[in-house]
Amino acid sequence: MYRIVFFLISSILLIGCNGNKKQLQNIKDTIALPYYNDPTFTPVFIKDKSSVQKEITHTIADFEFLNQDSVLVNQNIIKNKIHVANFIFTTCGSICPIMTDNLKIVSDSLQNNKDLVFLSYSVTPWIDTPSKLNTYKKIHDITNKNWQFLTGSKSDIYKLARQSYYAEEDIGFSRDSTEFLHTEHLILVDKSKKIRGIYNGTVALDMKALINDINTLKNEE
């Protein structure tokens, strides 16, 4: 399961010119995208924003890694921002270049959104030094300053991938932490560090869905 789409259907035309303030408030408070609270990626639909903190307990854990410029980056970079995460390695000759190029479509389409961050974590951090990540970023013509390529401790990255992002869904969650991590998933996370979507990074059509969902999150406030 890469992504479950939930469309909020409402007819504002039914509300007269004088409007029903209560109806309008209900529309505003309704949450369009589901939450994902466990590695099975079973969607949890919340009707009221006031219920989110009680019902959705899973969030992305804190982290600290070096980026492509050898700058230490931690969770503060995503504070109060939407972010998209994926897991790549620079010597990958299969899905990683495709994922990166597809994600660039999203990045380029939303380049004016300053509250959107892209995080690409290396799954071969013992190979992917900051300079190699920098080269990889240049090869793929990525100029977005809000797109970070991260490297650091293998155990920390793998733990974050499997236990926070559920990057390999429930299969990865139960795997040995030393087993190689390789996934085509892109994970969408909201400003509260809660997971809101999962997409196949090798499928161009999923990028359109990801763009739409990012815009939905932006308007969710």
Side-chain angles (χ1 to χ4, degrees):
M1 172 181 60
Y2 296 115
R3 180 178 178 273
I4 295 178
V5 182
F6 176 70
F7 289 102
L8 170 65
I9 303 174
S10 60
S11 180
I12 299 177
L13 292 176
L14 294 178
I15 302 174
C17 294
N18 292 328
N20 184 311
K21 292 183 179 180
K22 186 175 181 179
Q23 284 179 284
L24 287 172
Q25 189 62 42
N26 287 339
I27 291 172
K28 183 177 179 182
D29 289 344
T30 301
I31 299 173
L33 294 181
Y35 291 84
Y36 298 94
N37 210 31
D38 62 55
T40 66
F41 269 87
T42 302
V44 179
F45 299 106
I46 306 293
K47 292 183 179 180
D48 192 291
K49 292 179 182 179
S50 62
S51 303
V52 172
Q53 295 302 321
K54 180 180 179 180
E55 297 188 38
I56 308 301
T57 57
H58 182 76
T59 59
I60 303 302
D62 291 350
F63 59 86
E64 187 173 75
F65 300 110
L66 284 174
N67 73 0
Q68 70 282 345
D69 298 315
S70 296
V71 174
L72 205 58
V73 169
N74 62 26
Q75 66 279 352
N76 289 330
I77 200 170
I78 57 172
K79 186 177 181 180
N80 298 321
K81 293 184 178 182
I82 298 165
H83 80 274
V84 179
N86 73 332
F87 297 85
I88 56 98
F89 58 107
T90 61
T91 55
C92 172
S94 55
I95 66 174
C96 298
I98 298 172
M99 274 200 299
T100 301
D101 290 339
N102 280 344
L103 193 53
K104 186 177 184 298
I105 296 172
V106 180
S107 171
D108 290 347
S109 298
L110 300 171
Q111 59 183 333
N112 294 324
N113 188 339
K114 305 302 181 184
D115 292 327
L116 175 62
V117 175
F118 298 89
L119 300 179
S120 291
Y121 298 89
S122 170
V123 298
T124 58
W126 61 93
I127 295 173
D128 291 331
T129 61
S131 62
K132 286 190 176 180
L133 291 175
N134 201 334
T135 299
Y136 182 85
K137 187 174 181 179
K138 289 177 180 176
I139 288 173
H140 288 273
D141 194 28
I142 296 167
T143 58
N144 188 340
K145 294 181 179 179
N146 286 331
W147 191 340
Q148 305 291 324
F149 287 79
L150 303 175
T151 188
S153 162
K154 175 188 173 183
S155 61
D156 288 347
I157 291 174
Y158 278 38
K159 182 178 180 181
L160 190 71
R162 290 182 166 134
Q163 296 186 20
S164 275
Y165 288 106
Y166 304 143
E168 296 171 311
E169 299 183 84
D170 53 334
I171 296 174
F173 191 77
S174 61
R175 282 181 175 174
D176 185 279
S177 61
T178 62
E179 189 172 348
F180 187 65
L181 191 157
H182 199 204
T183 175
E184 71 275 19
H185 291 158
L186 305 178
I187 311 299
L188 175 63
V189 183
D190 67 16
K191 293 183 178 183
S192 298
K193 300 197 296 182
K194 299 180 185 298
I195 298 175
R196 306 299 297 278
I198 181 171
Y199 312 82
N200 188 331
T202 67
V203 177
L205 188 60
D206 266 24
M207 300 307 99
K208 183 177 180 180
L210 175 55
I211 291 170
N212 289 339
D213 287 352
I214 290 170
N215 286 327
T216 297
L217 283 187
K218 183 180 178 182
N219 295 324
E220 190 176 271
E221 301 171 2

